[in-house]
Amino acid sequence: MWCGRRGDKVSSLCLVWLVLHESLFSSSEKMEDCLAKKMEITVSEAEKRTGRNAMNIQETYTAYLIETRAVESQIEGQCAPVESLWRRYSEFELLRNYLSVTYPHIVVPPLPEKRADFVWHKLSADNMDPDFVERRRIGLENFLLRVASHPVLCQDKIFYAFLMQEGGWKEMVNETGFQLKADSRLKALNATFRVKNPDKRFTELKHYSDELQSVISHLLRVRARVADRLYGVYKVHGNYGRVFSEWSAIEKEMGDGLQSAGHHMDVYAASIDDILEEEEHYADQLKEYLFYAEALRAVCRKHELMQYDLEMAAQDLTSKKQQCEELATGTVRTFSLKGMTSKLFGQETPEQREAKIKVLEEQIREGEEQLKSKNLEGRDFVKSAWADIERFKEQKNHDLKEALISYAVMQISMCKKGIQVWTNAKECFSKM
């Protein structure tokens, strides 16, 4: 099983992720070059460490052990060696930032949350809490499998080095200069409000991502409230166990039956901890798509920026053509500083106008080439982005369907256990 080496409790919880793990490959069965088909990838351990950061301040952090093993050797009957290295969460963040900037047309898989959110009040929100660290370990493994299963991302050399090369990896990422390519938030916001001809499909997708995030956020809040109440209901059943036990002490004929019934109630009350821990893993699957919504918006923002740059280039080209025409004809169509200067200080000499015309004509040729290049770049972006968005939609529909069905099955199982407890209690009462 891919997600754990933590004993029986966690192994049962990892069953929650098994369907998702299988789904990572269901949409990529035809991609023989997919890294996930050539290599087993696991995040097998999480270890609490203490060290000094860049500011020479001592800090406590969690390191994660990534293990990889070639699949081909196992198929051939050979025992492939396991390669392993440790990574911090911040290194996972650096990897994802690099992928997001380098592949702006791709819906890059999100990382699990750095700090717990949408938790019911009995669950610790401490990012060093062992249960939270364990869920994040599973989420980080899921992230690596998502990337390794992607037809484009899986071929990236920086990603491969992340899995195989512990020393010097950060320097390798920084040498790509990806930070210089990153678009500023202010520039993206400016493009959002100033773009004149937005693509309707991307506008609708951006709206959908907002709605998806809102719906999943509400769903997670409802689940947290239900978990709080359910915890209280189960724990109150422990009072039945205590009362039946006390009652059994004063009864002779009824004592054994009451004691047995009380035992069943105690077991029922104690079972809620494991149930809600398992529920938390289903919630993590929903959270993944909560964060995927932002990845969708990132693709939409990039398209808005490209469209805005295209419109600005077209506007600048039109302006230069108008200036060239005005110089050639000696007429000024619109109010401009140039026109006012000519009136105040006289017209330019023919030689000056000819020189300026030549400069403008060269700028126009460059502008036309630039506009042609931006148009081609924009069309390629839309084609690639929409292909990946369709891939993502197929993945999302499959994953959420399976997660919701599994969650419903878990709820049915939980109710059946409750019925069984009271059935057992009834039998105990009948024997009195």
Side-chain angles (χ1 to χ4, degrees), residues 218-407:
H218 290 157
L219 185 60
L220 288 167
R221 290 190 184 98
V222 169
R223 191 211 69 89
R225 290 199 298 270
V226 170
D228 281 333
R229 295 185 182 184
L230 197 61
Y231 183 85
V233 169
Y234 267 70
K235 288 304 181 182
V236 165
H237 277 72
N239 292 334
Y240 279 129
R242 178 177 55 79
V243 171
F244 286 151
S245 180
E246 292 174 354
W247 190 2
S248 69
I250 63 172
E251 298 286 354
K252 292 183 179 180
E253 292 81 5
M254 296 170 57
D256 290 342
L258 290 171
Q259 184 72 35
S260 297
H263 172 72
H264 287 302
M265 294 301 163
D266 289 337
V267 171
Y268 184 65
S271 68
I272 189 60
D273 296 294
D274 288 345
I275 290 171
L276 292 183
E277 181 65 27
E278 185 177 349
E279 263 202 16
E280 207 60 38
H281 285 263
Y282 286 108
D284 287 340
Q285 291 184 47
L286 291 177
K287 286 179 184 179
E288 182 186 20
Y289 280 92
L290 180 72
F291 305 141
Y292 254 126
E294 175 56 30
L296 277 175
R297 282 197 295 272
V299 176
C300 295
R301 284 196 300 267
K302 182 61 180 180
H303 180 264
E304 285 175 341
L305 274 169
M306 295 180 71
Q307 180 64 23
Y308 178 68
D309 287 343
L310 177 66
E311 291 176 1
M312 290 299 100
Q315 182 178 317
D316 184 59
L317 180 61
T318 301
S319 175
K320 282 184 169 57
K321 286 181 176 180
Q322 183 177 323
Q323 290 177 44
C324 190
E325 184 181 346
E326 289 172 355
L327 282 169
T329 59
T331 59
V332 180
R333 295 182 180 179
T334 57
F335 173 82
S336 66
L337 180 61
K338 179 180 174 297
M340 289 297 295
T341 303
S342 297
K343 289 182 180 180
L344 289 172
F345 300 103
Q347 295 290 332
E348 297 170 320
T349 65
E351 291 79 9
Q352 289 175 323
R353 285 201 304 273
E354 188 65 29
K356 287 189 175 181
I357 288 172
K358 286 184 178 180
V359 172
L360 282 169
E361 286 176 343
E362 180 61 29
Q363 290 176 346
I364 288 170
R365 281 192 293 271
E366 292 176 356
E368 287 174 339
E369 286 298 319
Q370 186 182 37
L371 188 62
K372 182 180 178 181
S373 175
K374 286 184 178 293
N375 265 308
L376 184 60
E377 184 184 0
R379 286 196 295 270
D380 288 344
F381 178 89
V382 170
K383 181 180 178 181
S384 300
W386 214 251
D388 196 66
I389 288 165
E390 290 300 324
R391 178 205 60 80
F392 166 76
K393 287 180 179 178
E394 182 181 349
Q395 168 196 300
K396 171 188 67 72
N397 293 341
H398 178 276
D399 289 352
L400 291 181
K401 175 184 175 181
E402 293 299 325
L404 291 171
I405 289 174
S406 298
Y407 182 73

Side-chain angles (χ1 to χ4, degrees), residues 30 57 74 86 100 134 152 190 207 234 240 246 299 335 341 399 404 407 409:
K30 297 180 181 179
I57 299 174
Q74 297 181 56
W86 292 90
S100 298
E134 172 60 17
V152 177
N190 182 52
H207 177 70
Y234 267 70
Y240 279 129
E246 292 174 354
V299 176
F335 173 82
T341 303
D399 289 352
L404 291 171
Y407 182 73
V409 169

Side-chain angles (χ1 to χ4, degrees), residues 26-157:
S26 63
S27 61
S28 59
E29 288 176 352
K30 297 180 181 179
M31 293 181 281
E32 296 181 358
D33 292 335
C34 178
L35 183 62
K37 285 185 170 291
K38 298 178 180 179
M39 179 186 293
E40 287 183 358
I41 304 171
T42 60
V43 179
S44 56
E45 293 182 29
E47 182 177 280
K48 186 177 179 181
R49 294 182 177 181
T50 302
R52 293 190 176 276
N53 59 20
M55 303 295 292
N56 202 32
I57 299 174
Q58 188 165 321
E59 62 175 351
T60 301
Y61 62 92
T62 304
Y64 299 88
L65 181 64
I66 300 174
E67 294 185 339
T68 56
R69 185 198 301 266
V71 173
E72 292 178 0
S73 298
Q74 297 181 56
I75 295 174
E76 295 170 358
Q78 300 176 0
C79 184
V82 176
E83 303 288 343
S84 63
L85 50 78
W86 292 90
R87 295 288 186 201
R88 295 183 59 173
Y89 184 88
S90 59
E91 291 176 288
F92 280 88
E93 286 183 311
L94 180 59
L95 171 63
R96 190 182 182 280
N97 289 339
Y98 159 79
L99 293 174
S100 298
V101 172
T102 308
Y103 304 96
H105 60 283
I106 287 176
V107 185
V108 179
L111 291 169
E113 58 193 344
K114 192 166 187 175
R115 289 175 176 78
D117 199 5
F118 300 107
V119 297
W120 56 291
H121 77 276
K122 292 292 182 180
L123 195 67
S124 173
D126 180 10
N127 64 331
M128 287 295 176
D129 176 73
D131 289 334
F132 173 72
V133 170
E134 172 60 17
R135 290 198 311 277
R136 190 165 68 181
R137 179 193 67 79
I138 294 173
L140 291 173
E141 181 175 288
N142 181 59
F143 165 74
L144 293 180
L145 289 171
R146 291 280 195 203
V147 177
S149 303
H150 194 281
V152 177
L153 300 181
C154 72
Q155 300 179 44
D156 187 87
K157 293 180 180 179

